[in-house]
Amino acid sequence: MVLEGNPEVGSPRTSDLQHTRNKGSCVLSSPGEEAQPGEEPIKYGELIVLGYNGCLASGDKGRRRSRLALSRRPHANGVKPDVMHHISTPLVSKALSNRGQHSISYTLSRSHSVIVEYTHDSDTDMFQIGRSTENMIDFVVTDTSPGGGAAEGPSAQSTISRYACRILCDRRPPYTARIYAAGFDASSNIFLGERAAKWRTPDGLMDGLTTNGVLVMHPAGGFSEDSAPGVWREISVCGNVYTLRDSRSAQQRGKLVENESNVLQDGSLIDLCGATLLWRTPAGLLRAPTLKQLEAQRQEANAARPQCPVGLSTLAFPSPARGRTAPDKQQPWVYVRCGHVHGYHGWGCRRGRGPQERECPLCRLVGPYVPLWLGQEAGLCLDPGPPSHAFAPCGHVCSEKTARYWAQTPLPHGTHAFHAACPFCGAWLTGEHGCVRLIFQGPLD
């Protein structure tokens, strides 16, 4: 390959090490010992897609699922910046033709491109996420529509990139995970066209943003009972942190946030412009309720024999094995404005209002009247507290801490809007608080 101008190379190797030190907590060392036969592989963490309540509507299959565990690979497949070249555009295709060589191409003009070659990194494992079903994508993610489920139909145009982002995990303790915008395609390349936001950094390297961007929010106080939502940031192709652009695809980048990093924390949210993912660490998952605990809570709630205060029928949450189909005859229903729980009834409708708008017979408040469903994705819960609150207007039930956290967490929507949503189904939350405390009536006998 013929190079034009100075190869400029000398090395992103030295610059990259300095850049990594600035981000902190990187362990530059050889890989750790491999898992012995029969041993469980070391888990780096899990990614959970918001809006599916534990399983895709069509079922979790292969790389397309609602939840994916990232574990240490048998052999490291991470890459790191190595050499930077300035070349003329006619040579770009030749430079990118080597499928065994990972590279990022920055098109500056019709006659000038910068290509950064990447080399193998034996200290990290790389996992790629995107809409593409090609083999290099480890986690296939599709658009989630508000209200739950994937956007269906050929007319539904996806806003998620085919190669949306990549996560690099250190193979040695503390197994730090870092996120970067964009993933490598089938030719092991990332291509930032002439219209993409890109720039030269103060240390002479290149960086850029993808079309719709990769946004990250780290919760304040960790993902626990004391959590509070953090600030949404944008992650660049090289893993730097920036304030948000004016709109999702604006060409002008935000300001560099030097005191923040791309290291994922327990509870970090990753938004791909069409789907939002939650990162849970192994330590964080140990604090989350298990499916067994959720089932025990369901049985305990049913054992209390709650009753409809009007029909006096006994209510019971259905088993999750039934799936979410039509409500069961004993299904509890709630008036989401006041929280009074009833069995299903057909009265209380108000003319000129939607079919779900009813007047509560106990307090006369008018509002949505919906069936209650238990949240079944344990990884979305901040604590193992009892199922005491429901999101409005969808009726998904979880603990108070979990409900209040998600009700005050703005999730990206469209090009520049944010809206709190139920983490179990993706429905936009309504009302003053976005959730309501459930008021059950116990048995009269």
Side-chain angles (χ1 to χ4, degrees), residues 139-164:
F139 195 14
V140 179
V141 178
T142 54
D143 297 69
T144 304
S145 61
E152 300 292 343
S155 60
Q157 186 174 1
S158 177
T159 50
I160 300 175
S161 171
R162 288 179 299 161
Y163 318 105

Side-chain angles (χ1 to χ4, degrees), residues 158-174:
S158 177
T159 50
I160 300 175
S161 171
R162 288 179 299 161
Y163 318 105
C165 67
R166 62 198 191 277
I167 294 176
L168 266 67
C169 302
D170 289 346
R171 288 173 61 86
R172 296 195 63 173

Side-chain angles (χ1 to χ4, degrees), residues 18-101:
Q18 181 179 0
H19 174 72
T20 304
R21 289 192 197 101
N22 292 338
K23 287 192 167 293
S25 73
C26 180
V27 180
L28 298 175
S29 55
S30 58
E33 297 180 1
E34 304 293 346
Q36 298 300 315
E39 289 183 353
E40 287 291 325
I42 292 171
K43 183 191 290 186
Y44 298 130
E46 293 193 24
L47 289 168
I48 303 170
V49 187
L50 303 190
Y52 294 100
N53 202 18
C55 185
L56 298 182
S58 57
D60 288 348
K61 301 169 186 175
R63 293 172 294 141
R64 187 179 178 188
R65 51 202 315 112
S66 66
R67 183 171 183 159
L68 181 73
L70 274 54
S71 300
R72 189 164 66 177
R73 299 183 183 275
H75 304 286
N77 73 330
V79 294
K80 57 186 177 182
D82 185 32
V83 178
M84 184 167 70
H85 303 289
H86 285 254
I87 64 174
S88 61
T89 301
L91 294 176
V92 170
S93 58
K94 183 177 180 181
L96 301 180
S97 61
N98 182 3
R99 292 187 174 223
Q101 176 72 61

Side-chain angles (χ1 to χ4, degrees), residues 304-350:
R305 296 175 57 217
Q307 289 192 335
C308 174
V310 177
L312 302 182
S313 58
T314 301
L315 308 177
F317 287 102
S319 166
R322 283 185 61 249
R324 181 172 177 172
T325 53
D328 188 90
K329 288 182 179 180
Q330 290 185 293
Q331 187 108 17
W333 287 62
V334 67
Y335 288 90
V336 296
R337 283 197 63 195
C338 59
H340 286 117
V341 178
H342 293 68
Y344 178 76
H345 52 254
W347 63 79
C349 297
R350 287 300 188 92

Side-chain angles (χ1 to χ4, degrees), residues 166-203:
R166 62 198 191 277
I167 294 176
L168 266 67
C169 302
D170 289 346
R171 288 173 61 86
R172 296 195 63 173
Y175 307 116
T176 303
R178 295 177 176 83
I179 185 168
Y180 301 81
F184 295 98
D185 62 17
S187 299
S188 301
N189 299 313
I190 293 173
F191 182 80
L192 296 182
E194 195 170 346
R195 294 184 178 180
K198 69 188 82 65
W199 58 92
R200 189 183 298 276
T201 62
D203 51 7

